[in-house]
Amino acid sequence: MPIINVNNKQVHIQELNKGAEQTVVLIHGMFSNLSIYYFNIAPILAKHFHVVMYDLKSHGMSERFTDGYDLESMSSDVLALMDVLNLKKVHLAGYSFGGLIALKTALKAPDRVSQLVVIEAPDPQDEKARNIIDEYSKEFLEHYVANFTDTTKVQMGKRQMEKNHRMYEFLFEKTTIKADMIREKHFLGKANFSELDIPTLLLYGSESNCKPTGEWLKTQIIPSELELIPGDHNVPIQEPVRIAESMVHFLSQSLSNALTQNHG
């Protein structure tokens, strides 16, 4: 599995359909890994796009670090990853806290982002929304194992659960991740989204506690559309095909206007 050096960090990545003209970079949420996309969402996207997934620092198979989980650092990692892969301009998508990373990256380097997809990004100042991330991590593990049916795959799932459990212990006990997330609680209020002239798709669960954030972002980002998906914060798990198809439809709308040479 490819490991590359990004900002002096060993980062695990997966790429699908490298021959496609346009690239989609997928950012997972805190306390999960790229497999949230890998099994269901990414294969559908890869019929149309070059898909890049990566494990955030200290997540999945990427290198562990004790600090640097603020949005400035995490968005710098995204841009450095794009540089290493010679991706000049991409479609950028992020789920949960990964959605906030995607928003921060688009604000920081709008010339590097063609279109933006924000899936269930929470309001960091909403304590209930922050707690959703903890609840999500547990459901993610259960989902990981539930997707395996035969004995070998079940064993693989259990091993992954054990690895993820150790990862969570490290993140919760040895890093600044929770403090960094709390420090970002005013991010949405301070960001000037009126300057964000990037077509944006907001995907939120119709029963999600984060839905008000999606509705608010719709009023702040002018070139945006909000689509409600049946489910709660875990819509990528609950409705992966619907998520992927909505993304393909949205990202394909401006195909003729998008930059055609976005990777080397």
Side-chain angles (χ1 to χ4, degrees), residues 46-254:
K47 294 176 183 177
H48 308 272
F49 306 101
H50 170 214
V51 177
V52 175
M53 299 161 280
Y54 72 103
D55 287 329
L56 300 176
K57 69 184 78 172
S58 301
H59 292 70
M61 298 177 65
S62 289
E63 188 176 356
R64 292 184 174 189
F65 281 83
T66 57
D67 56 10
Y69 298 93
D70 57 284
L71 291 174
E72 178 65 31
S73 297
M74 299 297 264
S75 62
S76 293
D77 288 347
V78 175
L79 295 170
L81 173 71
M82 289 172 58
D83 290 341
V84 171
L85 297 177
N86 294 316
L87 301 171
K88 296 173 184 173
K89 196 167 188 177
V90 303
H91 301 308
L92 191 60
Y95 169 52
S96 192
F97 199 80
L100 298 180
I101 297 172
L103 283 167
K104 177 69 174 181
T105 305
L107 288 166
K108 185 174 178 178
D111 58 316
R112 307 289 303 272
V113 181
S114 299
Q115 294 185 92
L116 187 63
V117 179
V118 176
I119 309 168
E120 275 290 315
D123 182 347
Q125 71 177 343
D126 184 347
E127 189 171 341
K128 186 185 293 184
R130 288 202 307 270
N131 289 339
I132 286 172
I133 296 173
D134 295 348
E135 295 168 11
Y136 153 78
S137 68
K138 298 185 185 76
E139 186 168 334
F140 171 78
L141 285 178
E142 293 168 1
H143 163 78
Y144 197 103
V145 174
N147 269 290
F148 297 111
T149 53
D150 64 59
T151 304
T152 303
K153 289 182 178 179
V154 167
Q155 290 173 348
M156 287 172 58
K158 286 180 178 177
R159 285 201 298 272
Q160 186 64 40
M161 277 189 72
E162 291 170 359
K163 286 176 63 177
N164 282 7
H165 180 68
R166 290 194 295 271
M167 178 190 78
Y168 296 145
E169 286 186 331
F170 174 78
L171 286 166
F172 281 123
E173 297 173 10
K174 304 278 180 69
T175 77
T176 61
I177 190 166
K178 283 213 162 185
D180 287 346
M181 290 168 68
I182 291 170
R183 274 206 303 274
E184 298 290 356
K185 66 181 182 178
H186 298 301
F187 166 65
L188 292 182
K190 289 182 177 179
N192 189 358
F193 291 111
S194 63
E195 295 181 352
L196 191 61
D197 189 26
I198 297 173
T200 302
L201 175 63
L202 305 164
L203 295 175
Y204 279 77
S206 58
E207 305 301 320
S208 173
N209 288 337
C210 295
K211 183 174 74 168
T213 303
E215 294 170 338
W216 181 82
L217 284 169
K218 174 70 174 69
T219 69
Q220 302 299 306
I221 304 172
I222 301 305
S224 69
E225 57 185 79
L226 172 65
E227 182 179 346
L228 298 181
I229 307 292
D232 54 31
H233 186 64
N234 294 298
V235 285
I237 290 172
Q238 296 158 347
E239 296 286 345
V241 175
R242 175 80 177 268
I243 290 283
E245 290 178 346
S246 294
M247 290 176 66
V248 168
H249 176 72
F250 175 77
L251 297 176
S252 299
Q253 285 177 345
S254 303

